[in-house]
Amino acid sequence: MTEDGAAAVAAVAAVAERIEAERDHLTELDSAIGDADHGGNMARGWAAAAEAARDLDDPDTGTVAKTVGKTLMSEVGGASGPLFGGSLVFAAAELDGGVDAETAVAFAETYLEKVEDRGDARVGDQTMVDALTPAVHTFKKSIETDDLPPIEALAKAVDAAERGVAFTVPIRARKGRASYLGWRSVGHQDPGATSTLFILEELLAVAADRLGVDAPETDATSPTIPDEDPDEGASEDD
Ligand code: ADP
Ligand code: MG
């Protein structure tokens, strides 16, 4: 197996374990503004994805990503299955030529684009997009503008996602089940944004582990709200 492929399989296993550990937490968040299935949906999907990834014979990262995406599409269900899974299948092609800073940015951007296409949500709609958008923009900016090593760019992306999750609390849901609640969705943290953050945290942990370094400190205490444009409004500590 390629080094990258082995890291990808390890990352999927780590995500599955984390999501299983957070199952009740995610379900609790979804019971406040949804139908209390996000923890179960995600735990079932990621457990199946980890198994499917483990069963691959000598895969590269693109193949792992595609397999995980397909499995999530068929196993997660709900609104989030096609968003997480379908977008991953599509973005996986960006990794076919191998994983480096450039293809990682392309992967992240394509994934976000697909989530936006499929779900039609944007920042401020109280969905996973609120965590994903600032994470992807920050990752891209950290690599292309600030010239940071990918692992540090990923740590910045995790920070940005964490701020994005916090940002979902005081706003009103405009997409997905939570939007049926209208103003009553205000004051609740979005489950899909939260699971997106957990996935990114595990990717960071596995990447750091593979590089043999400590995961760079993440620090989401900066009060910045998610950036719409990666070239503007960077937080002071970026
Ligand atoms: P369901 O809402 O069908 O029960 P889940 O509970 O698994 O599905 O997932 C809910 C999450 O999906 C929400 O917290 C939100 O982050 C995300 N979501 C729902 N609709 C959309 C959408 N149109 N665009 C982006 N994300 C969405
Ligand atoms: Mg739900």
Side-chain angles (χ1 to χ4, degrees), residues 33 123-127 130 162-174 182-190 193 223-226:
I33 50 171
V123 165
D125 289 340
Q126 200 189 54
T127 71
D130 290 320
E162 197 170 343
R163 292 195 290 271
V165 168
F167 171 71
T168 64
V169 177
I171 62 177
R172 172 184 173 175
R174 296 191 183 274
W183 290 104
R184 280 180 295 135
S185 60
V186 172
H188 296 284
Q189 182 174 313
D190 181 65
T224 38
I225 58 165

Side-chain angles (χ1 to χ4, degrees), residues 30 35 37-38 41 78-80 83 119 121 127-128 175-177 190-192:
D30 196 33
D35 55 355
D37 63 353
H38 192 59
N41 286 348
S80 63
L83 292 171
T127 71
M128 60 175 75
K175 292 285 171 194
R177 255 173 222 285
D190 181 65

Side-chain angles (χ1 to χ4, degrees), residues 2 43 59 66 96-97 106 112 120 129 147 149 174 188 202 227:
T2 64
K66 213 162 292 164
D96 282 347
L112 171 61
D120 197 31
V129 170
D147 227 4
R174 296 191 183 274
H188 296 284
E202 293 309 315
D227 303 338

Side-chain angles (χ1 to χ4, degrees), residues 197-211:
L197 170 64
F198 295 154
I199 292 166
L200 290 172
E201 284 180 343
E202 293 309 315
L203 295 184
L204 174 63
V206 170
D209 188 53
R210 291 273 153 175
L211 290 172

